[in-house]
Amino acid sequence: MLSAEQIRNSFIDFFRDKGHEFVPSSPIVPIGDETLLFANAGMNQFKDIFLGLVSPDYGRAVNSQKCLRVSGKHNDLEEVGKDTYHHTFFEMLGNWSFDDYFKAEAIEWAWELLTKVWGIGAESLWATVFAGNEADGLPRDDEAAGLWTKVTPIPAERVLAFGKKDNFWEMGEVGPCGPCSEIHIDLGPGICDKKGVSGHKCAVNGGCSRFIELWNLVFIQYNRADGDKLIELGAKYVDTGAGLERLAAVLQKKESNYDTDLFMPIVEGIAEITGHKYTSKLNNNVDNAFRVISDHIRSLTFAITDGATPSNEGRGYVIRRILRRASRFGRELGMHEPFMYKLVPVVVDFLGDAFGEIRERADYVSTVIESEEESFGRTLDRGIEIFNTAAKRAQKSKDKVINGEDAFQLYDTYGFPLDLTELMAEERGLKVDTSKFNELMEEQRQRARAAQKSASLISALADVKLPTTKDLHKYHTDSFESEIVGFVDQKGFRNEGSVEDGDEAGIVLGGTCFYAEAGGQVGDCGVIESGQARFIVENTVRIADCVIHRGKVAEGSLAMGQTVKAVVSKDRDSIKKNHTATHLLQWALQQVMGKSVAQQGSLVGPDYLRFDFTCPKALTGEQIKKVENLVREKIAENLPLTCVVMPRAEAEKLGAMALFGEKYGSEVRVVAIGAANEELIKEAFSREFCGGTHCDNTGQIGSFKIVKEESISAGVRRITALTGAGLSKYLEERGEIVERLSEMLKTSAEALVERVERLMKENKKLAKQLKSGIRQAGPDTMAEAKKLLEKCEKVGSTSVVIGRLETTSVERAREAIDMLKKKAKSAAVVLGFDEEGKVTLLAGMTDDLVKKGLKAGDIVKAIAPIVDGGGGGRPQMAQAGGKKPEKIKDALARARELIKEKLCEV
C-alpha cells in the first residue's frame, strides 16, 4: 500500500519524467494578489503567466500546492465533518502547460498515471466534459469528449457532459478560467452515504460518496474580467488538479479520507487527549467532531505558518472562524479548556518533511492557537447566553423557530457555525430559519465581492502584455530621463494618446528611478515633468515587470513617446534611513530575544518604520533599551552597506534572511551591513534578501528610537521606531511638553520626575482618605441592602436578593451579604456595583442552599462573561470583576434566572 508521501512523490516524478519543472508550493496566503484571501488552487502562483503579464521560465511545471477553500466561490467549511471527503485544507497535486501541450496530452497522461502507474481499474473510471453555456456564449467541449475515446480506452457512454457549475473552472469572481474535464471513480454501491434518502440516485455529480472526483483537468482559455465579461486569452494553458487526500483514500483502499495516513495520526492524537474513540461513523456527534478537528488543525497549522493570524477582518476573520468551529466541536468531546494547540506537533511530525516551514514555525503556531482558544472560551460563554435568549423567544413563538438574524449574529459575532446553532436548537426541539440566514450570508458575500473587485488593478489589465520597465536606476539616482511608453487608467493599458491637465492616471516609462511598493517599503512619490507639464506621482506600484507611476496631471499635458524627467521627492532619504534601521532592528532583536524572532511584516515610510515579529510576550523596558543601544552602536560605527545580486541558493547558504511570505525568483538581491564590498560579504553581521533602497553606511541614519512596542495578535509583537527628521520632530515635541510641565509644576526639568512622583504619592493618600470618608458619610450600603431584602422575591422559604448598589467597597458589600444571610436565614444574594468603570459582582449563598447544589462560585462564573470579566470563589461567597458597567443589569437578570431555575429543580 502506497503511503501519502509515496503518492505525492510518484506524481511529481511521473511528470518530471515528461519534462516538467518541479515548482515548490506557494504560501497559502497569496503574495501580491488582493483578489484572493487564500490560495485555493495550484494555479494561483502562475496567475501572472496565464494573464500574459510575465513569461514563464519553463513550458511545463508540476507541484503539490497547499490549498485552503473556506471563502468566496470555493467554500467547503460547513461541509467538513458531515461526510468522508470534504476538507478545508488539502494538497492539490497538479501539472501545468504554459502554451506547450494541451488537451490531448493532459488527458492521455492522467489516464496513464491512474491506470498504469497506480493500477486503478479502468472499468471504475468516468470522465466529464463541459456541456457549454448559452449566457456566456460558450459551446460544448466536443474536442475533449472526442479525445477521451481517442487517446484512452474509455467507452463513450462513460464520458458525460455537465454545465458550468461542474465543468467550467474559475479561480474567483475575476481571473483566468476555462472548461474542464473531470475524472471520477465509482467506488461501488456499498459506499453510498445517501442510502435511504428519498429520491437519491447514485451517479457522477450525484452528491454521494460512491462517485468521487479524482482529478480535474482545466483548459484555461479565458479571463473573467470585471462586469462578468469573458476575454479569450492569447495563449492556451493546461492546469490540472488532483486532491492528494482523495487519491490516498482510493489507493490505500479506505472508505474515508479520514482513515488514511494523512489524518489518522491526528485522529489518534485527539483520542489520546480527549479519551474518546473514533469509529468512522457518519451522523455521529463524536465522530463528526473528530473529523472537524483533524481537518481544521491542518488548516490552522499551515495558514498561520504562512502568515495568517486570527483577527476580526479579512483572512484573519476566516482563520478565527475555523479555529472557533473546531474549538466548539471540541466540547462535543468534553474539551472545555484549550487543547488544539497540542495537536500542532502531530501535524508537524508527518507533514514537516514535505513542508519544512511548518516545522520551523511550530512553536509560534502553537502559541497563536492556544491564545485564540483561551479567548474563544470566554466568547463562547457569551454566545451561549445569546443563544439561550434566542431560544426562549423561539419557544414562545408558534412555529418554534430561531430567527435567521439571531443565527447570523451567532455566526458573525461569536463564531458559531450554522450547524452548531442547528444542533443546539434541535436539542431543545427547535428549528432555525436557514433561508433568512442564507440571505444574510449572501449579502455579506456580495459586499466582499464588491470590495474584492474594486481592489484589483490587475483585472483592468487582463491579457495585456505590459512593457518591461528598467528600474535599476532607483538604487543610484533620484532623477532620470526617459520616454513615456504607456498610460494606465480605469479602462486598462494604452500605448497611444496623452494625459491632460487634471487627469488621474498611471504613467509607464521605459526606465525609472522610482521605487515601486514592495517588501514593506512604500512606493516613491515625486514628479514627472517636461517643459511646463507636470505630473504629480502619488504612489508607485509594480505589476509583473512593469512599473506604474500613479498620480494626477497638475498642469499641461504629457503624450506617448515624449521624453520626460522623473524626479523622486526628498522623502527618499528618510525612507532609506528607516529601511536600513529596520535591518539593524531585526538583527538587534535576535541578539536580545534569540533567533526565534522572525519578521512577520514591516512598513517602511518617510515618517517612521514599523516592524512586526514573532515573540510570545511583551518586551520589558530593559530589553527595549538593549535593542535601542545595539542599533545606536552600529549607527555610531558608520558601517558600510554592500548590495549583491546572487543565486538564491547561494544567498541561503550565506545565511541571508528572507522576509517570510515574500515572493523571490531564482536570483535575489542581498543587502549586507558591515561588508565594504562583495568579496567581504561573509564578514557582514546582517544579511537579508531585500530589493529596497538603503543608506550607503549606517552613520547616515543619524539616530534611532523605539516609540511603541505592542501586541497585534497572539504571538506577534509590533515595534514602531523613528530615525532622522522624524525623530528630531518627535524629540522637539517631547521637549516642549517637558518645558510646559516644568513651568506648571514650578520645577526644573531635572527635578520633574521626582516632583511628579511626590504629587502622585500625595494624590494616592488623599484618594484613600476620600474613599474612607465616602464609606463613613456616603451611601449607606447596609440600608440599601435592607431595602433589597424588603422588596425581594421569594421561592418557597428562600429569599432571592438581587440588586445594584451605589458606589461602595468590596468590604462593605461583603458585610452587606453576610447581614442579609443572617436576617433571611435562607438566602441567595447577588450584588453588583461599579467604581470608575470597573465592575464588581458578589454572590452569597446560605449553607442550606449550598447543600442543595446552589453555589456562589458557579453563579459568578456564569454571569461574569456578560460584563466582560471573570471570577470565582467558595460555594458560600464568590466575587467577579468586569469591564462593562452598562451590562451589570443584564448580569443580575441572568443571575436571577439561574438561581430560580436551580431552586425550582430542588
Side-chain angles (χ1 to χ4, degrees):
M1 184 178 74
L2 290 174
S3 68
E5 184 177 5
Q6 288 171 324
I7 296 167
R8 183 193 300 116
N9 291 339
S10 65
F11 181 95
I12 292 169
D13 291 342
F14 176 84
F15 283 102
R16 270 179 162 165
D17 290 343
K18 296 193 181 294
H20 291 63
E21 177 82 13
F22 173 71
V23 180
S25 171
S26 65
I28 276 181
V29 177
I31 300 166
D33 186 353
E34 295 305 315
T35 66
L36 276 179
L37 284 180
F38 301 101
N40 60 13
M43 61 81 65
N44 294 160
Q45 68 172 308
F46 304 119
K47 184 177 174 181
D48 285 354
I49 297 174
F50 295 139
L51 289 173
L53 298 174
V54 297
S55 299
D57 295 330
Y58 29 76
R60 304 175 180 187
V62 61
N63 87 344
S64 181
Q65 173 65 43
K66 302 174 291 187
C67 295
L68 200 60
R69 290 189 178 174
V70 286
S71 59
K73 184 180 284 289
H74 304 285
N75 186 350
D76 293 336
L77 179 61
E78 299 299 335
E79 301 303 315
V80 172
K82 297 177 183 177
D83 57 32
T84 62
Y85 52 88
H86 273 101
H87 305 293
T88 52
F89 170 84
F90 60 96
E91 283 185 62
M92 184 69 86
L93 302 174
N95 58 289
W96 290 268
S97 164
F98 305 116
D99 208 22
D100 187 334
Y101 60 85
F102 202 43
K103 296 180 184 180
E105 293 88 344
I107 291 170
E108 183 180 357
W109 291 339
W111 187 268
E112 180 186 346
L113 180 56
L114 290 173
T115 61
K116 295 180 180 177
V117 177
W118 287 336
I120 295 174
E123 68 283 355
S124 65
L125 297 178
W126 293 66
T128 67
V129 297
F130 181 47
N133 183 271
E134 190 175 333
D136 280 331
L138 297 173
R140 185 179 188 273
D141 193 355
D142 291 325
E143 180 187 5
L147 285 168
W148 272 109
T149 55
K150 181 181 178 182
V151 301
T152 80
I154 194 170
E157 59 268 22
R158 291 218 306 272
V159 180
L160 310 176
F162 289 90
K164 185 176 176 181
K165 177 178 177 291
D166 295 302
N167 279 83
F168 192 87
W169 197 91
E170 301 190 66
M171 185 180 65
E173 296 302 316
V174 295
C177 55
C180 61
S181 191
E182 296 178 340
I183 304 171
H184 295 250
I185 185 169
D186 180 0
L187 298 173
I191 304 299
C192 178
D193 58 353
K194 297 289 177 66
K195 284 180 182 177
V197 176
S198 177
H200 174 73
K201 183 180 179 181
C202 290
V204 171
N205 289 330
C208 74
S209 56
R210 173 179 171 179
F211 287 88
I212 297 288
E213 176 200 331
L214 277 186
W215 203 335
N216 190 6
L217 315 178
V218 181
F219 309 121
I220 295 179
Q221 302 169 241
Y222 307 99
N223 181 66
R224 177 81 67 182
D226 284 341
D228 215 28
K229 182 182 177 184
L230 277 180
I231 301 168
E232 191 158 353
L233 295 171
K236 290 180 170 60
Y237 306 99
V238 171
D239 162 24
T240 87
L244 176 61
E245 290 73 13
R246 292 186 181 184
L247 283 171
V250 170
L251 296 174
Q252 293 176 10
K253 294 181 169 49
K254 304 292 185 182
E255 292 186 7
S256 165
N257 294 0
Y258 293 94
D259 293 335
T260 69
D261 60 349
L262 285 168
F263 288 94
M264 283 312 296
I266 306 174
V267 168
E268 290 163 2
I270 296 170
E272 185 177 339
I273 292 170
T274 66
H276 285 267
K277 187 178 180 181
Y278 180 63
T279 60
S280 299
K281 293 177 182 175
L282 297 176
N283 303 316
N284 176 290
N285 289 347
V286 168
D287 285 355
N288 287 356
F290 266 87
R291 285 187 287 271
V292 168
I293 295 164
S294 59
D295 171 89
H296 289 7
I297 192 61
R298 296 194 338 150
S299 294
L300 293 167
T301 300
F302 279 90
I304 295 170
T305 290
D306 282 356
T309 53
S311 69
N312 288 327
E313 57 186 18
R315 58 177 62 97
Y317 175 64
V318 176
I319 294 304
R320 174 162 283 168
R321 275 188 46 231
I322 294 173
L323 198 151
R324 290 182 170 187
R325 186 171 190 262
S327 182
R328 174 56 186 84
F329 273 92
R331 298 203 171 201
E332 295 291 330
L333 306 178
M335 300 308 296
H336 293 269
E337 299 297 326
F339 73 98
M340 286 190 297
Y341 73 95
K342 298 176 184 177
L343 296 169
V344 174
V346 180
V347 178
V348 170
D349 279 348
F350 72 92
L351 286 173
D353 289 341
F355 303 99
E357 61 272 19
I358 64 171
R359 195 182 300 283
E360 293 171 8
R361 296 167 68 83
D363 290 343
Y364 164 66
V365 173
S366 296
T367 299
V368 172
I369 291 176
E370 182 181 13
S371 174
E372 188 67 17
E373 284 187 272
E374 289 174 346
S375 172
F376 183 49
R378 297 188 291 270
T379 304
L380 186 61
D381 292 333
R382 179 60 181 142
I384 290 172
E385 291 294 324
I386 299 295
F387 174 82
N388 288 339
T389 303
K392 283 180 181 176
R393 279 199 298 268
Q395 284 166 338
K396 293 176 182 177
S397 67
K398 288 183 180 180
D399 53 7
K400 306 295 183 188
V401 174
I402 291 175
N403 68 57
E405 288 86 352
D406 286 334
F408 185 75
Q409 183 193 8
L410 285 165
Y411 169 86
D412 196 44
T413 306
Y414 298 100
F416 277 44
L418 179 61
D419 55 6
L420 166 60
T421 304
E422 288 181 307
L423 181 66
M424 292 170 67
E426 188 180 334
E427 290 170 355
R428 300 193 182 200
L430 303 171
K431 293 183 178 179
V432 179
D433 182 359
T434 55
S435 61
K436 182 61 178 179
F437 175 89
N438 290 331
E439 181 185 323
L440 294 170
M441 276 294 294
E442 184 57 32
E443 288 176 9
Q444 188 185 70
R445 289 191 190 105
Q446 293 290 352
R447 289 192 295 272
R449 287 168 188 158
Q452 207 175 63
K453 285 184 177 181
S454 63
S456 175
L457 174 64
I458 293 177
S459 63
L461 302 172
D463 201 28
V464 175
K465 185 69 176 176
L466 296 172
T468 297
T469 308
K470 296 177 181 178
D471 66 342
L472 288 177
H473 314 287
K474 64 192 175 190
Y475 298 126
H476 311 297
T477 181
D478 294 341
S479 64
F480 185 75
E481 286 193 358
S482 184
E483 285 187 0
I484 295 176
V485 297
F487 301 104
V488 175
D489 55 27
Q490 291 179 340
K491 294 179 181 178
F493 176 79
R494 56 187 170 92
N495 55 6
E496 59 183 11
S498 62
V499 287
E500 307 296 327
D501 193 356
D503 285 354
E504 292 185 2
I507 292 180
V508 180
L509 305 176
T512 185
C513 58
F514 278 64
Y515 179 85
E517 182 178 343
Q521 181 175 327
V522 299
D524 280 332
C525 299
V527 63
I528 294 174
E529 56 191 5
S530 178
Q532 297 301 310
R534 291 178 71 249
F535 179 89
I536 305 301
V537 180
E538 296 167 350
N539 191 19
T540 308
V541 298
R542 174 189 294 275
I543 295 179
D545 296 322
C546 180
V547 174
I548 302 171
H549 308 77
R550 303 177 74 173
K552 186 174 182 178
V553 181
E555 56 181 308
S557 65
L558 294 167
M560 180 68 188
Q562 186 173 347
T563 298
V564 294
K565 186 177 183 181
V567 182
V568 179
S569 77
K570 292 181 180 178
D571 285 342
R572 162 72 65 87
D573 287 338
S574 297
I575 293 171
K576 284 181 176 180
K577 291 174 182 178
N578 283 334
H579 202 154
T580 304
T582 302
H583 285 222
L584 293 179
L585 174 59
Q586 176 161 225
W587 167 81
L589 281 167
Q590 291 188 340
Q591 300 306 301
V592 175
M593 306 301 294
K595 294 296 182 183
S596 62
V597 167
Q599 183 175 352
Q600 285 295 104
S602 65
L603 176 65
V604 178
D607 301 320
Y608 64 93
L609 67 92
R610 199 175 69 202
F611 186 77
D612 303 338
F613 59 100
T614 55
C615 190
K617 57 185 178 181
L619 274 68
T620 65
E622 184 181 350
Q623 287 169 333
I624 289 173
K625 282 182 181 177
K626 282 183 179 178
V627 170
E628 283 182 326
N629 288 336
L630 284 171
V631 173
R632 288 170 185 161
E633 285 172 12
K634 295 301 181 184
I635 291 171
E637 289 175 29
N638 197 30
L639 299 168
L641 270 77
T642 295
C643 302
V644 185
V645 176
M646 62 176 65
R648 181 176 177 176
E650 186 181 332
E652 288 171 343
K653 284 180 183 177
L654 283 170
M657 289 188 292
L659 171 59
F660 186 79
E662 191 62 47
K663 198 172 185 176
Y664 298 105
S666 56
E667 285 200 330
V668 295
R669 181 173 181 261
V670 175
V671 173
I673 306 179
N677 54 54
E678 186 175 340
E679 285 71 30
L680 299 175
I681 194 169
K682 288 183 180 178
E683 297 180 8
F685 67 89
S686 167
R687 293 182 293 271
E688 292 190 36
F689 290 23
C690 184
T693 56
H694 286 271
C695 300
D696 296 324
N697 56 68
T698 59
Q700 292 175 354
I701 299 171
S703 192
F704 172 86
K705 180 165 182 59
I706 294 172
V707 294
K708 187 186 286 186
E709 192 274 345
E710 60 189 322
S711 170
I712 58 169
S713 65
V716 180
R717 310 294 302 178
R718 170 173 289 171
I719 279 177
T720 304
L722 302 173
T723 70
L727 178 53
S728 297
K729 183 182 178 184
Y730 172 87
L731 294 175
E732 188 178 329
E733 290 171 350
R734 294 306 180 274
E736 289 174 1
I737 292 171
V738 171
E739 288 174 8
R740 286 176 61 195
L741 287 173
S742 296
E743 190 177 330
M744 288 168 63
L745 299 175
K746 311 296 183 187
T747 189
S748 65
E750 292 76 17
L752 194 57
V753 172
E754 184 182 342
R755 176 75 172 123
V756 171
E757 285 176 345
R758 192 162 66 248
L759 281 172
M760 289 176 69
K761 191 181 267 187
E762 291 171 2
N763 185 61
K764 192 174 182 181
K765 184 179 178 182
L766 290 169
K768 194 172 183 181
Q769 292 172 351
L770 182 61
K771 199 170 186 179
S772 176
I774 288 173
R775 285 200 201 104
Q776 294 171 15
D780 188 338
T781 302
M782 291 299 181
E784 283 185 89
K786 286 176 184 176
K787 285 183 181 179
L788 290 173
L789 178 61
E790 290 168 7
K791 297 177 181 179
C792 79
E793 184 178 357
K794 281 209 167 192
V795 178
S797 61
T798 298
S799 297
V800 181
V801 186
I802 312 284
R804 181 169 183 164
L805 302 174
E806 293 296 318
T807 301
T808 184
S809 66
V810 172
E811 294 81 6
R812 293 289 285 165
R814 282 177 175 270
E815 289 169 7
I817 289 175
D818 287 338
M819 178 270 293
L820 290 169
K821 287 161 67 175
K822 285 178 183 177
K823 278 187 172 290
K825 307 300 183 188
S826 176
V829 185
V830 181
L831 304 177
F833 66 92
D834 77 282
E835 185 177 10
E836 296 178 356
K838 186 178 179 181
V839 177
T840 300
L841 299 170
L842 293 109
M845 304 294 157
T846 49
D847 289 338
D848 63 312
L849 300 182
V850 172
K851 289 176 183 177
K852 294 176 182 179
L854 186 55
K855 300 176 182 178
D858 293 344
I859 297 298
V860 296
K861 282 180 183 176
I863 66 174
I866 298 173
V867 293
D868 195 16
R874 297 179 294 108
Q876 291 82 4
M877 181 76 77
Q879 178 182 333
K883 304 171 187 174
K884 294 183 176 179
E886 71 275 10
K887 294 289 185 180
I888 290 178
K889 184 178 178 181
D890 294 343
L892 295 175
R894 180 57 181 155
R896 188 184 299 278
E897 289 176 8
L898 292 170
I899 290 169
K900 288 171 69 176
E901 285 173 10
K902 192 69 178 178
L903 289 174
C904 289
E905 288 176 10
V906 298

